[in-house]
mmCIF file of all heavy atoms in Angstrom:
data_model
loop_
_atom_site.group_PDB
_atom_site.id
_atom_site.type_symbol
_atom_site.label_atom_id
_atom_site.label_comp_id
_atom_site.label_asym_id
_atom_site.label_seq_id
_atom_site.Cartn_x
_atom_site.Cartn_y
_atom_site.Cartn_z
ATOM 1 N N ASN V 1120 114.566 99.210 81.973
ATOM 2 C CA ASN V 1120 114.267 99.681 80.610
ATOM 3 C C ASN V 1120 113.806 98.538 79.708
ATOM 4 O O ASN V 1120 112.870 98.689 78.922
ATOM 5 C CB ASN V 1120 115.500 100.354 80.001
ATOM 6 C CG ASN V 1120 115.814 101.683 80.680
ATOM 7 O OD1 ASN V 1120 114.932 102.321 81.259
ATOM 8 N ND2 ASN V 1120 117.070 102.092 80.640
ATOM 9 N N ALA V 1121 114.474 97.400 79.844
ATOM 10 C CA ALA V 1121 114.124 96.251 79.001
ATOM 11 C C ALA V 1121 112.716 95.765 79.324
ATOM 12 O O ALA V 1121 111.946 95.429 78.414
ATOM 13 C CB ALA V 1121 115.138 95.128 79.206
ATOM 14 N N LEU V 1122 112.377 95.744 80.616
ATOM 15 C CA LEU V 1122 111.028 95.311 80.994
ATOM 16 C C LEU V 1122 109.985 96.230 80.362
ATOM 17 O O LEU V 1122 108.978 95.776 79.801
ATOM 18 C CB LEU V 1122 110.872 95.310 82.522
ATOM 19 C CG LEU V 1122 111.609 94.215 83.294
ATOM 20 C CD1 LEU V 1122 111.466 94.452 84.799
ATOM 21 C CD2 LEU V 1122 111.109 92.818 82.923
ATOM 22 N N ALA V 1123 110.243 97.526 80.458
ATOM 23 C CA ALA V 1123 109.303 98.495 79.886
ATOM 24 C C ALA V 1123 109.208 98.328 78.365
ATOM 25 O O ALA V 1123 108.126 98.396 77.789
ATOM 26 C CB ALA V 1123 109.724 99.917 80.250
ATOM 27 N N ASP V 1124 110.353 98.075 77.725
ATOM 28 C CA ASP V 1124 110.368 97.837 76.276
ATOM 29 C C ASP V 1124 109.548 96.603 75.899
ATOM 30 O O ASP V 1124 108.861 96.591 74.876
ATOM 31 C CB ASP V 1124 111.809 97.588 75.788
ATOM 32 C CG ASP V 1124 112.577 98.883 75.628
ATOM 33 O OD1 ASP V 1124 111.936 99.950 75.678
ATOM 34 O OD2 ASP V 1124 113.812 98.818 75.469
ATOM 35 N N CYS V 1125 109.669 95.564 76.710
ATOM 36 C CA CYS V 1125 109.022 94.290 76.376
ATOM 37 C C CYS V 1125 107.535 94.278 76.741
ATOM 38 O O CYS V 1125 106.790 93.414 76.272
ATOM 39 C CB CYS V 1125 109.732 93.143 77.096
ATOM 40 S SG CYS V 1125 111.400 92.830 76.475
ATOM 41 N N GLY V 1126 107.125 95.216 77.571
ATOM 42 C CA GLY V 1126 105.738 95.240 78.036
ATOM 43 C C GLY V 1126 104.721 95.234 76.921
ATOM 44 O O GLY V 1126 103.691 94.576 77.000
ATOM 45 N N LYS V 1127 105.021 95.960 75.857
ATOM 46 C CA LYS V 1127 104.084 96.053 74.731
ATOM 47 C C LYS V 1127 104.039 94.744 73.934
ATOM 48 O O LYS V 1127 102.990 94.282 73.530
ATOM 49 C CB LYS V 1127 104.509 97.207 73.807
ATOM 50 C CG LYS V 1127 103.344 98.203 73.590
ATOM 51 C CD LYS V 1127 103.686 99.229 72.525
ATOM 52 C CE LYS V 1127 104.646 100.218 72.981
ATOM 53 N NZ LYS V 1127 105.712 100.847 72.707
ATOM 54 N N ASP V 1128 105.216 94.170 73.733
ATOM 55 C CA ASP V 1128 105.311 92.952 72.911
ATOM 56 C C ASP V 1128 104.757 91.719 73.607
ATOM 57 O O ASP V 1128 104.375 90.754 72.953
ATOM 58 C CB ASP V 1128 106.780 92.677 72.539
ATOM 59 C CG ASP V 1128 107.373 93.828 71.754
ATOM 60 O OD1 ASP V 1128 106.593 94.627 71.215
ATOM 61 O OD2 ASP V 1128 108.620 93.937 71.693
ATOM 62 N N PHE V 1129 104.790 91.726 74.934
ATOM 63 C CA PHE V 1129 104.370 90.544 75.690
ATOM 64 C C PHE V 1129 103.271 90.915 76.678
ATOM 65 O O PHE V 1129 103.548 91.287 77.822
ATOM 66 C CB PHE V 1129 105.567 89.925 76.426
ATOM 67 C CG PHE V 1129 106.693 89.526 75.510
ATOM 68 C CD1 PHE V 1129 107.753 90.401 75.263
ATOM 69 C CD2 PHE V 1129 106.695 88.292 74.874
ATOM 70 C CE1 PHE V 1129 108.793 90.045 74.417
ATOM 71 C CE2 PHE V 1129 107.732 87.931 74.019
ATOM 72 C CZ PHE V 1129 108.781 88.811 73.786
ATOM 73 N N PRO V 1130 102.014 90.809 76.225
ATOM 74 C CA PRO V 1130 100.908 91.235 77.098
ATOM 75 C C PRO V 1130 100.782 90.412 78.386
ATOM 76 O O PRO V 1130 100.148 90.865 79.332
ATOM 77 C CB PRO V 1130 99.664 91.064 76.212
ATOM 78 C CG PRO V 1130 100.088 90.273 75.040
ATOM 79 C CD PRO V 1130 101.556 90.397 74.894
ATOM 80 N N ASN V 1131 101.392 89.228 78.427
ATOM 81 C CA ASN V 1131 101.321 88.412 79.642
ATOM 82 C C ASN V 1131 102.429 88.721 80.642
ATOM 83 O O ASN V 1131 102.486 88.124 81.708
ATOM 84 C CB ASN V 1131 101.388 86.920 79.291
ATOM 85 C CG ASN V 1131 100.083 86.449 78.671
ATOM 86 O OD1 ASN V 1131 99.049 87.080 78.859
ATOM 87 N ND2 ASN V 1131 100.144 85.370 77.927
#
Side-chain angles (χ1 to χ4, degrees):
Chain V
N1120 290 336
L1122 288 174
D1124 280 348
C1125 291
K1127 235 188 287 133
D1128 300 341
F1129 302 94
N1131 286 339

